[in-house]
Amino acid sequence: MSKQNLLFTPLKAGALELPNRVVMSPLTRSRAEAEHVPGELIAQYYAQRASAGLIIAEATMTAGDASAFIAEPGIYSPEQVAGWKKVTDAVHAAGGRIALQIWHPGRATHPLLNAGAQPVSSSDRPIRGEQIRTLQGTYDYPAPRRLEVSELAGIVELFRAAAENAKDAGFDAVQVHGAHGYLLDQFLRDGVNDRDDQYGGSLENRARLMFEVVDAAIQVYGADRVGLRLSPLVPFNDMVDSDPRALTEYVAEQLDRRRIAFFDLRHANHAAPAEEVLARIARRAYTGVLMRNGGFDQATGEDALAAGTADAIIYGKPFIANPDLVERFRSGAELAPVDFSTLYTPGPKGYTDYPALESAGGNHLALAV
Ligand SMILES: Cc1cc2nc3c(=O)[nH]c(=O)nc-3n(C[C@H](O)[C@H](O)[C@H](O)COP(=O)(O)O)c2cc1C
């Protein structure tokens, strides 16, 4: 166990009071019920992980024709809001805090997942070199339809309604998904965005849609309960940008002006030199709470906190098999391995059946003192 234990110190992120700096990353697990409604199983799963400083719940659909996975949850219908209310109640009853990641896949989906609807994007360029899974099989991505400027207010409206619904459902905050090659990232990064209108070309133009969405979320929640995820170097979904440093700096400056609760910088691998440069740029331009994610373990997380390159560390895969990750870090217990075969399969197996350490008398706890 690390000497410093900064991971276990409290942190104020906007209006959020985190008891520790071990944050749970948004993780799609495809366990929603029919019509993308979250049920008891999802409530149980998140409640099991309530000791995280903050849970950022999985990418959640902002519209009925914006599904990209099978059985991911939505936040656009009254039934979904009622389902999520059970989730937030369960997490709060277990002493936790939970934010919702609001999301639109843009071109990273398929008509078979959306009743025949063609995907939309900043351009008509399809994702190449990757495929998408549907109930009918795995396919190449189709070419998206390029959104007209006149349609973009409607996209912002989807996110605003999602934030309002998230508030009704009792979420402590929302995180705008600006990462991983989904719709907002498809506008942001110039490997996809080839527009020549006010939503293309300069960084300011490419980031316009994302900040319209962030501002809509701020109107609903207040800046102190809004976060943003960004992944300038993550190539997933066939993404690239010609100048990720300038992009990071511009977004960080804009977030700083808005005083949002937290900035989630998602690295492909935090230790890569190019990623460390981005972290330094973000740190300099953004004076709020910077959370970093991507391949951290306990020791490297402590190092980043000690070096001042992050205020909190976001853990993804470690939370899948270790619902009590905070306690395991604290006690120096071994981490359970993830069963990758059950990441997206229905039911509790590989979802809610990963046990916590025994609370009393276990060897792990004995080792910790
Ligand atoms: C099963 C799985 C599902 C994921 N789903 C999401 C998601 O819904 N939203 C998101 O922003 N990132 C998602 N990610 C990425 C993780 O949040 C995280 O960024 C990534 O796993 C790197 O962190 P780690 O090294 O701690 O696992 C997912 C990753 C995995 C493995």
Side-chain angles (χ1 to χ4, degrees), residues 25-28 59 101 177 180 229 266 293-295 315-317 344:
S25 212
L27 295 163
T28 293
Q101 186 180 56
H177 198 339
H180 296 167
R229 169 163 268 205
R266 198 305 210 196
N293 165 257
Y315 293 93
K317 289 182 286 298
Y344 307 112

Side-chain angles (χ1 to χ4, degrees), residues 244-310:
R245 295 182 187 191
L247 183 153
T248 304
E249 184 166 36
Y250 178 76
V251 172
E253 283 168 1
Q254 290 297 315
L255 294 178
D256 194 57
R257 279 204 206 167
R258 287 167 171 81
R259 297 265 172 269
I260 65 162
F262 62 96
F263 176 14
D264 165 357
L265 183 59
R266 198 305 210 196
H267 302 289
N269 176 349
H270 72 91
E275 293 280 13
E276 287 179 353
V277 171
L278 293 195
R280 281 202 296 277
I281 291 170
R283 197 48 154 172
R284 205 170 48 232
Y286 173 74
T287 56
V289 167
L290 179 62
M291 302 187 180
R292 292 176 61 198
N293 165 257
F296 284 98
D297 60 16
Q298 182 180 2
T300 54
E302 278 293 343
D303 288 347
L305 295 181
T309 64

Side-chain angles (χ1 to χ4, degrees), residues 57-63 72-75 84 100-104 162:
E58 65 212 81
T60 295
M61 295 158 62
T62 49
E72 79 271 53
I75 187 79
W84 279 121
L100 184 67
Q101 186 180 56
I102 50 178
W103 161 78
H104 192 299

